[in-house]
Amino acid sequence: MVHEGLKKVLNGVVAAAQQAGRAPEGITLIAVSKTFDGPEIVPVIEAGQRVFGENRVQEAKAKWPALKMAWPDVELHLIGPLQSNKAAEAVQLFDAIHTVDRTKIAAEIAKEMRRQGKPLKLFVQVNTGCEPQKAGIDPAAADAFLAECREVHGLEISGLMCIPPAEDDPTPHFTLLAEIARRNGLSQLSMGMSGDYPDAIACGATHVRVGSAIFGTRG
Protein backbone atom coordinates (compact mmCIF):
# COMPACT_ATOMS: atom_id res chain seq x y z
CA MET A 1 0.00 0.00 0.00
CA VAL A 2 1.35 3.42 -0.96
CA HIS A 3 0.69 6.43 1.27
CA GLU A 4 1.67 9.48 -0.80
CA GLY A 5 2.58 11.78 2.12
CA LEU A 6 4.73 9.13 3.75
CA LYS A 7 6.36 8.15 0.46
CA LYS A 8 7.27 11.75 -0.31
CA VAL A 9 8.85 12.30 3.13
CA LEU A 10 10.77 9.01 3.01
CA ASN A 11 12.13 9.99 -0.40
CA GLY A 12 13.05 13.40 1.04
CA VAL A 13 14.93 11.77 3.91
CA VAL A 14 16.89 9.58 1.50
CA ALA A 15 17.74 12.54 -0.73
CA ALA A 16 18.85 14.71 2.22
CA ALA A 17 20.97 11.87 3.62
CA GLN A 18 22.67 11.24 0.31
CA GLN A 19 23.36 14.94 -0.15
CA ALA A 20 24.96 15.00 3.30
CA GLY A 21 27.02 11.89 2.53
CA ARG A 22 25.14 9.87 5.12
CA ALA A 23 23.46 6.47 5.06
CA PRO A 24 19.65 6.91 5.02
CA GLU A 25 19.39 3.87 7.32
CA GLY A 26 20.95 5.98 10.08
CA ILE A 27 17.94 8.30 10.17
CA THR A 28 14.67 7.37 11.90
CA LEU A 29 11.52 9.05 10.66
CA ILE A 30 9.07 9.76 13.49
CA ALA A 31 5.59 10.26 12.03
CA VAL A 32 3.95 12.84 14.31
CA SER A 33 0.36 11.70 14.74
CA LYS A 34 -0.79 14.26 17.33
CA THR A 35 -4.38 15.47 16.77
CA PHE A 36 -5.05 12.62 14.32
CA ASP A 37 -7.35 9.76 15.27
CA GLY A 38 -6.79 6.03 14.94
CA PRO A 39 -8.55 5.65 11.57
CA GLU A 40 -6.30 8.39 10.13
CA ILE A 41 -3.16 6.74 11.53
CA VAL A 42 -3.94 3.20 10.31
CA PRO A 43 -3.15 3.85 6.60
CA VAL A 44 0.30 5.16 7.57
CA ILE A 45 0.96 2.03 9.65
CA GLU A 46 -0.32 -0.17 6.83
CA ALA A 47 2.07 1.59 4.46
CA GLY A 48 4.96 0.37 6.61
CA GLN A 49 5.69 3.21 9.03
CA ARG A 50 6.56 1.91 12.48
CA VAL A 51 7.74 4.90 14.56
CA PHE A 52 5.22 7.53 15.67
CA GLY A 53 5.32 10.62 17.87
CA GLU A 54 2.70 12.11 20.18
CA ASN A 55 2.71 15.36 22.15
CA ARG A 56 0.39 14.54 25.03
CA VAL A 57 0.13 11.49 27.27
CA GLN A 58 -3.66 11.68 27.59
CA GLU A 59 -4.25 11.91 23.86
CA ALA A 60 -1.89 9.01 23.17
CA LYS A 61 -3.52 6.93 25.90
CA ALA A 62 -6.90 7.31 24.19
CA LYS A 63 -5.83 5.90 20.82
CA TRP A 64 -2.53 4.02 20.92
CA PRO A 65 -3.12 0.96 23.17
CA ALA A 66 -5.53 -0.51 20.58
CA LEU A 67 -3.19 0.37 17.70
CA LYS A 68 -0.18 -1.15 19.47
CA MET A 69 -2.17 -4.30 20.20
CA ALA A 70 -2.92 -4.64 16.48
CA TRP A 71 0.65 -3.74 15.45
CA PRO A 72 2.96 -4.78 18.32
CA ASP A 73 6.11 -3.72 16.46
CA VAL A 74 5.08 -0.04 16.42
CA GLU A 75 7.31 2.27 18.47
CA LEU A 76 5.75 5.28 20.20
CA HIS A 77 7.76 8.38 21.12
CA LEU A 78 6.66 11.19 23.45
CA ILE A 79 7.83 14.42 21.85
CA GLY A 80 5.81 16.93 23.90
CA PRO A 81 6.29 18.27 27.44
CA LEU A 82 5.85 15.75 30.26
CA GLN A 83 4.29 16.61 33.62
CA SER A 84 5.73 14.70 36.56
CA ASN A 85 2.29 13.37 37.56
CA LYS A 86 2.04 11.70 34.13
CA ALA A 87 5.43 9.97 34.34
CA ALA A 88 4.00 6.55 35.29
CA GLU A 89 1.57 6.57 32.37
CA ALA A 90 4.27 7.83 30.00
CA VAL A 91 6.69 5.05 30.91
CA GLN A 92 3.93 2.47 30.52
CA LEU A 93 2.74 3.74 27.13
CA PHE A 94 5.83 5.06 25.33
CA ASP A 95 9.04 3.47 24.08
CA ALA A 96 11.00 6.74 24.05
CA ILE A 97 10.74 10.16 25.70
CA HIS A 98 12.35 13.14 23.93
CA THR A 99 11.53 15.78 26.53
CA VAL A 100 13.60 15.09 29.67
CA ASP A 101 14.35 18.65 30.73
CA ARG A 102 14.41 19.05 34.51
CA THR A 103 15.40 17.28 37.71
CA LYS A 104 11.87 16.34 38.80
CA ILE A 105 11.08 14.67 35.46
CA ALA A 106 14.42 12.82 35.40
CA ALA A 107 13.80 11.51 38.93
CA GLU A 108 10.22 10.41 38.18
CA ILE A 109 11.17 8.66 34.93
CA ALA A 110 14.03 6.85 36.67
CA LYS A 111 11.70 5.75 39.48
CA GLU A 112 9.01 4.53 37.08
CA MET A 113 11.41 2.67 34.80
CA ARG A 114 12.71 0.77 37.82
CA ARG A 115 9.22 0.14 39.18
CA GLN A 116 7.83 -1.08 35.87
CA GLY A 117 11.00 -2.86 34.81
CA LYS A 118 10.84 -1.07 31.48
CA PRO A 119 13.85 0.70 29.95
CA LEU A 120 13.08 3.59 27.61
CA LYS A 121 15.14 5.47 25.08
CA LEU A 122 15.62 8.95 26.57
CA PHE A 123 16.51 12.29 25.02
CA VAL A 124 17.27 15.51 26.90
CA GLN A 125 15.46 18.50 25.41
CA VAL A 126 17.65 21.58 25.00
CA ASN A 127 16.05 25.02 24.60
CA THR A 128 18.58 26.18 22.00
CA GLY A 129 16.83 29.52 21.52
CA CYS A 130 16.60 30.19 25.28
CA GLU A 131 12.90 30.97 24.78
CA PRO A 132 11.17 31.56 28.14
CA GLN A 133 7.86 30.06 26.96
CA LYS A 134 9.44 26.87 25.67
CA ALA A 135 10.43 23.71 27.53
CA GLY A 136 13.99 22.46 27.55
CA ILE A 137 17.20 22.90 29.49
CA ASP A 138 19.27 26.03 28.85
CA PRO A 139 22.27 25.20 26.59
CA ALA A 140 24.67 26.53 29.22
CA ALA A 141 23.21 24.10 31.78
CA ALA A 142 23.03 21.07 29.47
CA ASP A 143 26.37 19.47 30.42
CA ALA A 144 25.62 19.63 34.15
CA PHE A 145 22.08 18.32 33.66
CA LEU A 146 23.31 15.39 31.57
CA ALA A 147 25.83 14.53 34.29
CA GLU A 148 23.03 14.69 36.88
CA CYS A 149 20.79 12.40 34.81
CA ARG A 150 23.56 9.84 34.55
CA GLU A 151 25.20 10.07 37.95
CA VAL A 152 22.33 10.98 40.28
CA HIS A 153 19.36 9.31 38.61
CA GLY A 154 21.18 6.45 36.89
CA LEU A 155 19.60 7.22 33.53
CA GLU A 156 21.12 6.16 30.25
CA ILE A 157 20.59 9.12 27.93
CA SER A 158 20.48 8.26 24.22
CA GLY A 159 20.65 11.75 22.78
CA LEU A 160 19.39 15.32 22.63
CA MET A 161 16.32 17.02 21.17
CA CYS A 162 15.55 20.61 20.19
CA ILE A 163 12.81 22.74 18.60
CA PRO A 164 14.40 25.88 17.13
CA PRO A 165 12.50 29.19 17.32
CA ALA A 166 10.03 29.34 14.43
CA GLU A 167 11.40 32.62 13.10
CA ASP A 168 15.10 31.63 13.19
CA ASP A 169 17.32 29.92 10.66
CA PRO A 170 17.31 26.44 12.23
CA THR A 171 20.85 25.49 11.18
CA PRO A 172 22.72 27.27 14.03
CA HIS A 173 20.39 25.59 16.51
CA PHE A 174 20.98 22.16 14.99
CA THR A 175 24.73 22.82 15.00
CA LEU A 176 24.64 23.85 18.67
CA LEU A 177 22.71 20.71 19.62
CA ALA A 178 25.18 18.54 17.72
CA GLU A 179 28.10 20.19 19.52
CA ILE A 180 26.56 19.64 22.98
CA ALA A 181 25.93 16.01 22.02
CA ARG A 182 29.51 15.52 20.80
CA ARG A 183 31.14 16.79 23.95
CA ASN A 184 28.88 14.60 26.08
CA GLY A 185 29.45 11.42 24.09
CA LEU A 186 25.92 11.24 22.67
CA SER A 187 25.30 9.96 19.15
CA GLN A 188 21.58 10.57 18.68
CA LEU A 189 19.96 13.86 17.71
CA SER A 190 16.20 14.38 17.54
CA MET A 191 15.81 17.51 15.43
CA GLY A 192 14.04 18.65 12.30
CA MET A 193 10.35 18.82 11.44
CA SER A 194 8.24 19.06 8.25
CA GLY A 195 9.73 22.39 7.17
CA ASP A 196 13.39 21.86 7.98
CA TYR A 197 14.22 18.16 8.27
CA PRO A 198 16.68 18.25 5.31
CA ASP A 199 18.69 20.94 7.14
CA ALA A 200 18.60 18.85 10.31
CA ILE A 201 19.86 15.78 8.45
CA ALA A 202 22.72 17.86 7.01
CA CYS A 203 23.64 18.74 10.63
CA GLY A 204 23.57 15.12 11.81
CA ALA A 205 19.96 14.40 12.86
CA THR A 206 19.31 10.74 13.64
CA HIS A 207 15.59 11.26 14.33
CA VAL A 208 13.36 13.67 12.39
CA ARG A 209 9.83 14.46 13.61
CA VAL A 210 7.46 14.99 10.68
CA GLY A 211 3.70 15.44 10.97
CA SER A 212 1.91 17.69 8.51
CA ALA A 213 3.99 16.58 5.51
CA ILE A 214 2.72 13.03 6.14
CA PHE A 215 -0.77 13.48 7.57
CA GLY A 216 -1.68 16.87 6.10
CA THR A 217 -2.88 19.79 8.18
CA ARG A 218 -5.64 19.40 10.71
CA GLY A 219 -8.82 21.30 9.87
Side-chain angles (χ1 to χ4, degrees):
M1 180 178 178
V2 175
H3 184 284
E4 287 304 323
L6 177 64
K7 182 182 176 184
K8 187 175 179 181
V9 172
L10 286 171
N11 288 340
V13 168
V14 169
Q18 289 173 342
Q19 189 158 355
R22 299 180 57 199
E25 299 76 29
I27 300 155
T28 298
L29 171 63
I30 301 171
V32 180
S33 49
K34 66 175 184 178
T35 77
F36 291 93
D37 298 327
E40 297 167 292
I41 297 168
V42 166
V44 182
I45 300 177
E46 289 179 337
Q49 177 65 19
R50 287 298 179 268
V51 185
F52 290 82
E54 289 283 342
N55 265 43
R56 297 174 62 223
V57 174
Q58 286 306 104
E59 184 188 337
K61 190 180 173 186
K63 61 189 177 185
W64 275 102
L67 292 170
K68 290 192 81 171
M69 193 172 291
W71 288 277
D73 59 335
V74 161
E75 228 180 77
L76 191 58
H77 292 226
L78 179 63
I79 59 172
L82 176 61
Q83 297 170 310
S84 56
N85 64 352
K86 294 282 194 293
E89 289 179 313
V91 170
Q92 182 178 24
L93 183 59
F94 291 91
D95 302 290
I97 295 175
H98 290 235
T99 51
V100 181
D101 68 346
R102 58 197 187 280
T103 293
K104 191 171 184 181
I105 286 296
E108 286 296 321
I109 289 171
K111 181 181 81 174
E112 284 302 326
M113 287 199 308
R114 285 192 299 269
R115 189 178 72 82
Q116 297 183 34
K118 184 184 175 186
L120 270 69
K121 184 180 289 185
L122 301 174
F123 293 76
V124 164
Q125 182 175 357
V126 181
N127 186 351
T128 55
C130 299
E131 298 173 275
Q133 80 282 12
K134 193 175 281 183
I137 196 83
D138 188 282
D143 293 2
F145 181 65
L146 282 162
E148 178 192 329
C149 286
R150 290 162 163 166
E151 295 161 17
V152 177
H153 306 295
L155 293 174
E156 184 178 334
I157 302 296
S158 298
L160 303 179
M161 183 269 246
C162 76
I163 305 170
E167 67 280 1
D168 283 12
D169 173 0
T171 298
H173 296 274
F174 297 153
T175 303
L176 173 60
L177 197 73
E179 174 53 37
I180 297 169
R182 261 194 302 274
R183 68 174 180 249
N184 285 281
L186 297 170
S187 61
Q188 299 191 35
L189 293 167
S190 170
M191 58 190 196
M193 298 186 284
S194 289
D196 58 20
Y197 71 85
D199 297 319
I201 289 170
C203 294
T206 58
H207 295 70
V208 293
R209 310 179 305 271
V210 180
S212 57
I214 295 172
F215 290 97
T217 53
R218 165 64 75 185

